[in-house]
Structure formats: structure tokens, C-alpha cells
Amino acid sequence: MARTKPEHPPVHRTDLLPSNLTASKEAAVRALLRAYRRGAVLLGREEWRLFFETGRLEKNHDVDKVTFAAVIGAANRVQMARWQVVGQLQGWIGNRANEFRDLVNHSTLAPATKQMLHAINGMGAWFWRGEVARRETGEVIPVSVRRLARAMMRHCMARHRRPDLSRISMRLDHRAGSIARPIQATQRGRVGWWVSLSTLEKGRKIAIPLLTYDYHAKRPGRVTNGIQVNEREGRLSFGVVTDMGELCAKSRAAYEGHGALALDFGLSTLLATSDGRLLGQGWLKRLKRYDALLAVIAASQHRAGRRPRESQRYRALVEDVRGFLRTEVGRVLNRLVEQGKPKELVLERLDFRYSDLSRRLNAILRNCGRSIVQEKLRDLEERFGIPSAEVNAAYTSQACSSCGYVDQRNRRDQKTFVCLWCGHHMHADLNAAANIEARRARPNGWLFQGKAAVLAELVREFGERPVRALGLGRTGSRGAPADPRSTNPYFGGVPSTVVRSSERREASMKSPDPPALVAA
């Protein structure tokens, strides 16, 4: 079972706008940001070359200091940019590693080959030049398997665009940018911080006042002595980072959790829990309103011969959707922790999409929904010490949490689950959450099983359980046989659309036989 772990110290960032920025200061900041981004692109090219030549990204690689310093303006800014670039590339490669894992799981390769591929993926050794040995056994992985791993990783990488470093934000530490409270120049309390920046002009520094607001002013924690500069929609903003380490340590010590709680994320209901709670039931209506507005703006842009992203209203609405997702996910999970006090969270792999929404909005949800949830889960672990575990989600919505019978017809609609075998009736999302909780006890290897292997195991386990079925003629729809397995392809049955009436009558006269194991 995979657990999430905090990858960085617990910090939060808020973006503040400058106040009364003169033309000369604004030009100096924009020139510095452009130079930083040009240097980030060059550093990214060098890191990709190192990755494909040695199999590793090197954040301390500084062979050529002169070239990059000439572009960015100072050697210390080169080091800051390189660390930021490597961090962004590592995140992108980590996502491709997850796709590599899924590709291996859904393949028809031999189990021994799959294990070696998973070992290569776990070590990040897709492009290593030397020998690769398994850590647990010391067995050297054959060259043919390593060649296959390289090809599969290249395939995963080719499906996505690499990170666009030309629009990266500029992160500066105390050597190039510092922040301090105002002493006198507060502009009637509107200015909360003064930023000092080194410019491209040697020896010249500029001071920039930043406007504050209630959310930032009331945020607890220690403000770090560094700054992040970004440009969105032509406007400069300055990110202020707050260190939450001490506060998180105190909240973890005071938090008393108990038991594991399984979560089923969806769109009809944002969150269903294994203890029977449905949270965020009205948020789909809000998403549909966003979808309708996006469609209107996109259609207007198309009629004018422009792309939707060229509209400022469209971009602002997309930001509203992301803000709504972040707010709603945070609100629901905070309420869950406050009321339920779980010691551990168990969830399936997230995939936000819904058939009633457009492809446009589904793409927005898919791109940012998973990262928002994962970011919030990391926050809960940092603040309260609540770890989260991921389980295999295959057939959690079709399997009965009471008897284990798996059938696509069990889920009548988005909200209703009625088992065709035992008659168990409950909300479909609550049934899925109960299945997720049950899979917490599965061995670690289950997380990496493909859907066919999971189905075969579920069918086998159902056949070994002494589960009593409904009475004769009470299962299924009108005219269906008493044994739903005869029309369930998961159990080797023939779908009801091609079953003749004589076969239905014959099947209805027979008592249910033990289910056969379906070959995966």
C-alpha cells in the first residue's frame, strides 16, 4: 500500500501585489524575470542532456558557470534557478513514473519481467548506463529488460509536453531578494512588506512595497527571508512564503486520531466515506454552471476566429474553477478531519471526470483536480500527522460491499447500488467507499494489479464464499433468470441481450452453481 510522504518542509505561499511601482523599478523587475527565465530554459536543456546521458538530474552540476551567469546576471541566481528547474523536472518525471507503472500493470508481460520493470521504475533507472541490480536480491537485471524499460519510459514521456520553463516563476533567497516589515512607510497600513531585490545592474538594489490583505496578515507561521516573483496576465506579483513547521509540530502532537477512514472521490458527490457520510453533494450543480459559461465564451471566441484562451473572461473563469475546486476540497477535508478524527485516510487513485460535463471542463478537472487533492492530503499529514494510503480502485463501484458479487448492472445509476445477488441496497458512492476500506488489508502487490487480474481474484473469492442469493425469480430485471451470473460476462455468462427466451426459462429452473473463475 503506497503512502504519501511530505516531500518539502510545511510551507505556504501567498501572492501580494506591489504598491505604487515606478516605471524604472517595474522595468528592472521585468528585465530580471526575463533573464531568469532565459537562464532556466538553458539550464533545463543541460539537465535533460544529463538525464539521458547519465540517468540522473544534477542540481549541483556547475561545470559552466560563466555562460549561465552571463545570462542570469549572477552566479548565485544561477544556483537558485538550477535547483528550481531540477525540482520542476523531477515532479514531471515522477508523474511519468506513475504512468510507467500503470503501463506495466496493464501489459501481458510475464510476472518476472513485470517485477524487474517495477524495480527499474522504483530506482528511476530507465536511462542508467551501468548495470542495474535489484535492491532486495542483488540480481542484475538483463540488458533486454533495461532496453524495454527505456522504450516504455520514452513512450510515456512522448505523450506529454515537457515543462515550459520559459514561464517559470523566479524564486530568490536572501542572497538576491529579501523581505522585511515596514518601519514608517506603511501607506496608512496598506503596505505589509518591503522587498529588496538585486537587479541586473551590478551593485544596484531596488525596494518594492507590497500590499497586504486580511488572509495573509492573519496567517500564522514564520515568514521566510526570500521572495518569489511571477507575472500573470501582464501583472507582476510577489510570493511570500510562510514556514509552518513549528505550528504543524504542535498540531500533530495535540491531534488524537483513531481508526482508518476510506474516501471515495467523485463529482456527483465530492466525497463519500466508509462510515456513511456524503460530503459536497451540491458541488456538481456549481460545476455545470461553470461549464455552461465556459461554453458560451468559447463559442463567442470561435465565431470571432479566436481561441478561447485569448479571452480574458475565459481565463478568469478557468481560474475561478480552480479556486472553487481548491476551496471545496479544502473545506470538505477539513470538516472530515474535524468531525471524524481519522488516524489514517485510505483512497483510490483519483480520476476526476464526469460524462455530463464537457470535454473542456473535464480536462480542467483532470489537470488540476488530482494535484489539488494530493496537495491537501500532504497538508493534512504535515499539520496533523494523518497519512494517506492508496488502493487499487478497479471494480470498487461494481462490487457489492456486503457479499462481494461483482456485476456492472449492480450500479443502477450515479447514486443507486442494488446487488443482483444478495439484494444489498445503498448509495453507490458509500458502497465504493466501503470497498476501498476493505482493500486496505490487501497485500502491497494488489496496488499494482491490472483490472483483469483484480476481476479474476474477485470472481474467485466470491466463489469461495457461502453467500445466499435472493429467492427464485427475485434477481435482475423482469424476465431475468434467478442466477444473475448466467448473464454476467464476468462469470462466463452470456449478456441478456443475446439470451433466448427458452434459455432464460431453462436457467430460471436451475439452482445457482458455484461461479467459475474467469481467465484474465
Side-chain angles (χ1 to χ4, degrees), residues 7-294:
E7 299 176 356
H8 306 284
V11 297
H12 292 290
R13 194 195 84 215
T14 50
D15 290 331
L16 304 181
L17 297 177
S19 171
N20 298 331
L21 193 60
T22 63
S24 61
K25 289 183 178 181
E26 182 176 356
V29 175
R30 292 185 183 277
L32 180 61
L33 181 58
R34 287 194 298 269
Y36 190 92
R37 287 175 169 175
R38 286 197 300 268
V41 172
L42 296 177
L43 289 168
R45 292 173 183 171
E46 183 181 52
E47 290 296 335
W48 279 124
R49 178 180 59 80
L50 292 172
F51 179 72
F52 288 113
E53 289 181 355
T54 67
R56 294 289 187 190
L57 298 171
E58 296 291 343
K59 64 180 181 181
N60 293 317
H61 185 81
D62 58 352
V63 175
D64 186 1
K65 298 180 180 179
V66 177
T67 301
F68 298 115
V71 174
I72 301 180
N76 55 17
R77 283 199 290 265
V78 173
Q79 186 184 41
M80 300 172 208
R82 186 183 292 276
W83 279 52
Q84 185 179 354
V85 166
V86 169
Q88 192 156 335
L89 298 186
Q90 284 176 337
W92 188 85
I93 293 172
N95 291 332
R96 305 294 78 77
N98 293 335
E99 295 179 9
F100 182 99
R101 179 197 65 190
D102 295 339
L103 188 61
V104 173
N105 291 336
H106 292 88
S107 69
T108 57
L109 296 169
T113 304
K114 287 185 176 183
Q115 291 176 0
M116 288 186 284
L117 289 173
H118 282 308
I120 293 174
N121 193 46
M123 292 184 287
W126 314 282
F127 300 101
W128 284 10
R129 294 299 178 93
E131 289 186 345
V132 179
R134 300 182 63 178
R135 292 171 179 170
E136 61 273 14
T137 63
E139 173 191 0
V140 176
I141 297 178
V143 175
S144 59
V145 177
R146 292 171 51 201
R147 190 180 297 115
L148 175 61
R150 283 196 297 271
M152 293 175 66
M153 188 58 178
R154 288 185 183 277
H155 169 74
C156 294
M157 295 174 68
R159 296 172 58 191
H160 303 270
R161 289 183 296 179
R162 296 182 188 178
D164 183 7
L165 300 176
S166 66
R167 301 183 63 82
I168 197 171
S169 61
M170 179 170 58
R171 298 178 187 174
L172 304 175
D173 62 22
H174 64 280
R175 294 170 293 175
S178 60
I179 185 170
R181 289 285 188 183
I183 299 176
Q184 293 181 342
T186 64
Q187 296 183 12
R188 298 180 181 179
R190 296 170 62 242
V191 173
W193 298 97
W194 278 83
V195 171
S196 177
L197 287 181
S198 298
T199 65
L200 292 177
E201 185 179 341
K202 188 175 181 179
R204 182 194 175 197
K205 290 188 175 182
I206 56 176
I208 301 171
L210 300 183
L211 299 173
T212 188
Y213 53 96
D214 288 342
Y215 175 76
H216 170 77
K218 295 178 181 178
R219 165 168 283 180
R222 179 183 62 84
V223 174
T224 60
N225 192 17
I227 199 69
Q228 182 167 333
V229 184
N230 201 0
E231 182 184 19
R232 291 182 180 177
E233 309 297 336
R235 175 182 290 185
L236 290 172
S237 65
F238 295 78
V240 178
V241 178
T242 306
D243 185 355
M244 307 292 291
E246 184 177 349
L247 289 174
C248 289
K250 291 181 180 179
S251 61
R252 285 196 301 268
Y255 182 79
E256 296 181 1
H258 50 82
L261 190 64
L263 312 178
D264 177 55
F265 284 90
L267 289 181
S268 178
T269 300
L270 173 59
L271 187 65
T273 67
S274 55
D275 60 359
R277 282 179 288 174
L278 295 170
L279 304 175
Q281 297 186 65
W283 86 313
L284 181 59
K285 295 180 181 179
R286 179 77 173 271
L287 289 178
K288 288 184 176 180
R289 289 199 294 270
Y290 277 125
D291 202 9
L293 290 173
L294 288 170

Side-chain angles (χ1 to χ4, degrees), residues 316-345:
L317 195 57
V318 171
E319 288 300 320
D320 284 348
V321 173
R322 291 172 178 166
F324 169 68
L325 283 175
R326 184 170 285 104
T327 301
E328 193 69 5
V329 168
R331 180 188 68 82
V332 169
L333 286 176
N334 286 337
R335 179 183 173 190
L336 179 70
V337 170
E338 181 182 355
Q339 295 180 350
K341 299 290 184 182
K343 188 175 182 180
E344 180 185 6
L345 297 176

Side-chain angles (χ1 to χ4, degrees), residues 272-436:
T273 67
S274 55
D275 60 359
R277 282 179 288 174
L278 295 170
L279 304 175
Q281 297 186 65
W283 86 313
L284 181 59
K285 295 180 181 179
R286 179 77 173 271
L287 289 178
K288 288 184 176 180
R289 289 199 294 270
Y290 277 125
D291 202 9
L293 290 173
L294 288 170
V296 170
I297 299 174
S300 175
Q301 287 292 103
H302 287 313
R303 286 194 297 269
R306 295 188 296 264
R307 299 173 59 185
R309 290 293 303 178
E310 296 178 18
S311 167
Q312 185 175 355
R313 288 181 58 207
Y314 184 90
R315 295 194 300 268
L317 195 57
V318 171
E319 288 300 320
D320 284 348
V321 173
R322 291 172 178 166
F324 169 68
L325 283 175
R326 184 170 285 104
T327 301
E328 193 69 5
V329 168
R331 180 188 68 82
V332 169
L333 286 176
N334 286 337
R335 179 183 173 190
L336 179 70
V337 170
E338 181 182 355
Q339 295 180 350
K341 299 290 184 182
K343 188 175 182 180
E344 180 185 6
L345 297 176
V346 185
L347 60 151
E348 62 182 356
R349 190 179 180 198
L350 304 174
D351 185 19
F352 283 103
R353 66 181 69 192
Y354 193 62
S355 58
D356 285 358
L357 300 177
S358 67
R359 292 178 59 185
R360 180 181 296 104
L361 186 56
N362 270 316
I364 297 172
L365 296 174
R366 190 166 55 251
N367 291 336
C368 67
R370 183 183 302 176
S371 61
I372 288 173
V373 173
Q374 290 174 342
E375 179 183 339
K376 184 59 183 178
L377 292 174
R378 284 195 299 269
D379 175 65
L380 293 179
E381 183 164 9
E382 291 167 354
R383 284 197 292 150
F384 303 110
I386 306 173
S388 56
E390 190 177 85
V391 301
N392 196 318
Y395 299 100
T396 52
S397 62
Q398 299 181 21
C400 178
S401 59
S402 177
C403 70
Y405 177 67
V406 55
D407 194 319
Q408 188 176 4
R409 299 166 296 179
N410 283 345
R411 185 157 187 168
R412 302 294 177 85
D413 52 44
Q414 192 66 29
K415 295 183 178 180
T416 309
F417 184 95
V418 181
C419 179
L420 294 179
W421 183 263
C422 70
H424 182 63
H425 185 286
M426 69 185 307
H427 194 285
D429 293 333
L430 295 179
N431 176 77
N435 284 326
I436 292 171

